[in-house]
Amino acid sequence: MATTAKKKLVQWDPTDIKAEMIAKYPPKVARKRAKQIMINEALENETPEILANVRTIPGIITMRGCTYAGCKGVIMGPTRDIVNLVHGPIGCGFYAWLTRRNQTEPGPDGENYMNYCFSTDMQDSDIIFGGEKKLIKAIQEAYDLFHPKAIGVFATCPVGLIGDDIHTIAKNMKEKLGDCNVFAFSCEGYKGVSQSAGHHIANNQIFRHVVGENDVPKEGEFKINLLGEYNIGGDGFEIERIFKKCGITNISTFSGNSTYDQFASAHQADLSAVMCHRSINYVADMLEVKYGIPWIKVNFIGAEATAKSLRKIAMYFEDQAFIDRVEKVIAEEMPDVEAAIADVRPRTEGKTAMIFVGGSRAHHYQELFKELGMKIISAGYEFAHRDDYEGRQVLPLKVDADSRNIEEIEVEADPERFHPRKSQEELQALEKAGLKFSHYDGLIPDMDSKTLVIDDLNQYEAEKLVELMKPDIFCAGIKEKFSIQKLGVPMKQLHSYDSGGPYAGFKGAINFYHEIDRLVNSKVWSYMKAPWQENPQLTGSYVWE
Ligand code: CFM
């Protein structure tokens, strides 16, 4: 009988969805989650406030990772010629060993430590009596074996608890070794509420110990730093290809396919182009204050977004031949993109998607879905801050007990090497012409009204959302993959790209269109039935002799 059927929210109302998502929570939890689940009402000049970058409620199965993951895995992981030495129990090293799909191309020198796992392998006795001697030995051993340019030491939770002085050890070993830069990161997993704290810690230490170390001039025209691009699934290779075609010199990438020397030379660029704002905005700001390099926000996810970002870079350098060359590249690349869209779009138009990824992709990937004519009905970040949702005009944010844990480093203009790349007048003229400096508008203004913007979505809510709104595709990570697929909805990993990619740039966009077409139009999902859906009563019997 129809009356026994559950209410099916075909024309869902966001208020009902929100109420349903938090209905089962105890009142205190519901109150907190209500502030992190927002029905988008962004008006042109006004973005509603969302609660973000706060502690996950204990007991909730979050999608987040830890501070060590953000520092060692995300920011420092993709750099091939720095030995990343994990000071801690072996599990922390093991689980950060090649699990993120950042790729690298070692080049002629072949120096690449990314496929190794370096760890001090702390044991119970080290935790009781201290791990400093072991760390000193491990640094020496890594140096003797590989003679790397640099060794980074990463603290895991127990190191902070027992108080090993990793920074003094790093300083002493740097002096002792002479030709190897040794620095350490106090990135204990518990340091912040998520991996976001680890980004900040990595930004600080890399800026303090490496940026500016190489003053040997870098050749090339139109020199930029590409900040916040991590070469997942080869994205960075596609962006590099486009840069080369356009005549852009990439001094450094933070940190996809990068080297120690790139970081050391970053102060020689004339513009920083920021892709993932959340993970690297601190470096962008510090490069500006110390060396006078302005930064702009870019996005190479989506063909239109790529073209727009290239045009912004060209506009900044104010060189007509360069502007023309960029236009020529766009004109050459777009026909293939348009042909792919024309093929795929009739099958994807009007379909719906949900995106829940880290701190920037839930925004960037909306571009690709829009190119397919698809609608984003709900999106959010795992660990972004309010500025990533609402735009940087909300800065500075109130400092709470957790953010107070993370060091803010004081940076001043370098007495010799600070030189503003553009005068105030030039910057103002460019702003007038439409280029925004040191700014990010955030995710919310780009989302439709009445969509749901959700911070730190958890497993229970993810399943509820899918059950209620039945999207045609759900995008998140490996932790969510199988629980969503069991609900009969296709799931695309946007952290690791499953085994696909690249999705950045022009060629990447084409890859993405085809992949999404295959996923949302596959019938296989409608055939899926979990055993309990077919037969709600499961029986079992004990077997023993
Ligand atoms: Fe930036 Fe990232 Fe992301 Fe991120 Fe990440 Fe990643 Fe990510 Mo996974 S740096 S915030 S900490 S774009 S590893 S390459 S996919 S959560 S949205």
Side-chain angles (χ1 to χ4, degrees):
M1 288 259 303
T3 45
T4 58
K6 262 204 209 152
K7 186 181 169 197
K8 198 172 176 221
L9 295 159
V10 177
Q11 275 304 335
W12 46 266
D13 177 328
T15 321
D16 290 349
I17 305 273
K18 179 171 174 174
E20 188 77 7
M21 280 173 78
I22 58 177
K24 287 248 164 72
Y25 287 141
K28 212 173 142 193
V29 175
R31 268 201 304 280
K32 189 168 181 193
R33 286 304 295 153
K35 291 185 204 154
Q36 292 177 275
I37 302 173
M38 201 192 75
I39 298 162
N40 192 18
E41 285 160 8
L43 305 168
E44 225 161 78
N45 301 312
E46 217 179 297
T47 29
E49 189 175 323
I50 189 164
L51 184 67
N53 192 31
V54 292
R55 291 179 195 183
T56 301
I57 298 155
I60 274 180
I61 304 176
T62 175
M63 293 173 174
R64 285 170 163 177
C66 72
T67 300
Y68 156 79
C71 182
K72 193 269 177 194
V74 175
I75 309 293
M76 300 307 294
T79 309
R80 63 177 165 270
D81 58 358
I82 299 178
V83 164
N84 283 352
L85 175 56
V86 178
H87 188 31
I90 195 63
C92 301
F94 184 81
Y95 284 105
W97 185 21
L98 298 180
T99 43
R100 187 161 172 260
R101 289 186 66 236
N102 39 239
Q103 301 182 4
T104 198
E105 173 46 67
D109 67 20
E111 213 177 334
N112 178 16
Y113 308 115
M114 269 162 58
N115 40 4
Y116 292 93
C117 173
F118 298 89
S119 169
T120 52
D121 184 20
M122 275 182 134
Q123 302 293 322
D124 294 359
S125 61
D126 303 315
I127 293 181
I128 295 162
F129 299 108
E132 294 188 347
K133 286 198 186 104
K134 207 169 187 186
L135 177 60
I136 293 167
K137 260 176 89 178
I139 295 172
Q140 187 67 50
E141 192 182 335
Y143 178 80
D144 293 341
L145 282 172
F146 296 102
H147 292 278
K149 299 177 185 78
I151 299 175
V153 175
F154 298 86
T156 58
C157 294
V159 174
L161 298 174
I162 65 175
D164 279 359
D165 187 357
I166 55 170
H167 298 286
T168 302
I169 291 171
K171 191 166 154 267
N172 293 344
M173 288 308 283
K174 181 182 172 177
E175 274 163 27
K176 182 180 173 207
L177 302 175
D179 61 352
C180 177
N181 193 353
V182 188
F183 38 86
F185 301 85
S186 289
C187 57
E188 290 86 353
Y190 60 76
K191 256 294 167 50
V193 300
S194 70
Q195 52 269 65
S196 167
H199 302 150
H200 196 166
I201 293 162
N203 280 223
N204 285 348
Q205 292 300 76
I206 213 71
F207 195 82
R208 187 182 262 150
H209 294 284
V210 186
V211 171
E213 286 292 300
N214 186 6
D215 274 324
V216 179
K218 292 278 170 197
E219 297 304 317
E221 279 187 306
F222 315 117
K223 292 183 218 168
I224 70 162
N225 295 317
L226 178 60
L227 304 185
E229 203 302 310
Y230 299 93
N231 203 18
I232 308 296
D235 275 355
F237 295 145
E238 164 66 358
I239 298 172
E240 264 300 313
R241 178 188 75 84
I242 298 168
F243 281 180
K244 282 215 176 84
K245 234 177 140 180
C246 294
I248 296 167
T249 308
N250 187 13
I251 298 291
S252 74
T253 301
F254 284 65
S255 58
N257 192 30
S258 63
T259 59
Y260 178 84
D261 180 63
Q262 288 186 24
F263 295 154
S265 313
H267 63 301
Q268 298 191 36
D270 293 316
L271 174 71
S272 293
V274 176
M275 177 111 164
C276 169
H277 171 264
R278 181 64 268 135
S279 62
I280 211 80
N281 72 89
Y282 318 95
V283 164
D285 279 339
M286 292 187 283
L287 280 168
E288 177 157 32
V289 173
K290 189 163 180 186
Y291 301 107
I293 308 170
W295 70 265
I296 56 169
K297 176 76 180 68
V298 292
N299 174 24
F300 292 102
I301 302 294
E304 277 303 326
T306 300
K308 203 169 143 196
S309 298
L310 292 172
R311 288 188 175 115
K312 277 178 162 181
I313 294 171
M315 187 176 169
Y316 170 81
F317 284 100
E318 299 177 280
D319 177 296
Q320 198 52 49
F322 177 41
I323 294 171
D324 294 345
R325 187 164 166 185
V326 164
E327 287 303 330
K328 197 168 152 251
V329 171
I330 296 170
E332 276 168 22
E333 298 282 337
M334 281 311 270
D336 284 352
V337 171
E338 281 153 12
I341 294 180
D343 167 25
V344 168
R345 194 161 166 150
R347 292 185 297 273
T348 51
E349 184 90 54
K351 297 219 185 266
T352 56
M354 291 179 177
I355 317 180
F356 293 93
V357 210
S360 73
R361 292 190 170 179
H363 186 194
H364 289 163
Y365 273 78
Q366 302 209 6
E367 296 283 340
L368 277 169
F369 282 109
K370 277 182 203 156
E371 288 170 0
L372 291 170
M374 289 177 63
K375 281 192 173 40
I376 311 297
I377 50 178
S378 184
Y381 298 126
E382 288 172 28
F383 51 75
H385 302 195
R386 273 185 60 208
D387 41 324
D388 305 291
Y389 285 104
E390 300 169 49
R392 274 178 74 98
Q393 69 281 359
V394 301
L395 296 176
L397 297 171
K398 215 173 80 208
V399 180
D400 64 10
D402 293 305
S403 26
R404 201 166 287 129
N405 261 342
I406 315 299
E407 185 190 14
E408 281 286 347
I409 59 178
E410 287 290 326
V411 178
E412 286 173 0
D414 187 289
E416 278 112 50
R417 295 180 293 178
F418 176 84
H419 72 96
R421 304 317 202 256
K422 300 262 179 195
S423 67
Q424 276 311 315
E425 296 75 54
E426 284 171 320
L427 287 175
Q428 272 164 14
L430 284 167
E431 287 249 1
K432 245 193 176 159
L435 209 55
K436 279 188 186 167
F437 289 98
S438 315
H439 194 74
Y440 174 42
D441 287 330
L443 159 102
I444 289 174
D446 272 349
M447 288 192 63
D448 288 343
S449 141
K450 304 280 176 255
T451 53
L452 285 147
V453 182
I454 308 174
D455 182 63
D456 190 16
L457 184 81
N458 56 57
Q459 179 165 8
Y460 166 75
E461 290 169 7
E463 290 187 15
K464 260 273 162 283
L465 255 189
V466 167
E467 210 179 278
L468 295 168
M469 295 174 91
K470 297 259 181 311
D472 292 303
I473 192 165
F474 189 92
C475 306
I478 187 65
K479 297 195 281 295
E480 296 75 49
K481 178 140 186 117
F482 301 103
S483 65
I484 298 298
Q485 284 183 170
K486 282 176 191 166
L487 299 172
V489 170
M491 199 283 180
K492 176 72 194 163
Q493 291 189 65
L494 283 188
H495 298 259
S496 71
Y497 299 166
D498 294 294
S499 48
Y503 299 137
F506 300 109
K507 290 201 192 313
I510 297 171
N511 283 340
F512 195 77
Y513 305 150
H514 291 310
E515 184 112 5
I516 297 305
D517 178 26
R518 278 196 293 270
L519 279 164
V520 298
N521 289 301
S522 165
K523 290 237 178 345
V524 70
W525 309 103
S526 60
Y527 301 146
M528 296 240 330
K529 278 239 168 347
W532 59 87
Q533 288 170 306
E534 282 179 341
N535 185 359
Q537 198 178 344
L538 293 177
T539 54
S541 54
Y542 291 106
V543 180
W544 71 84
E545 284 183 303

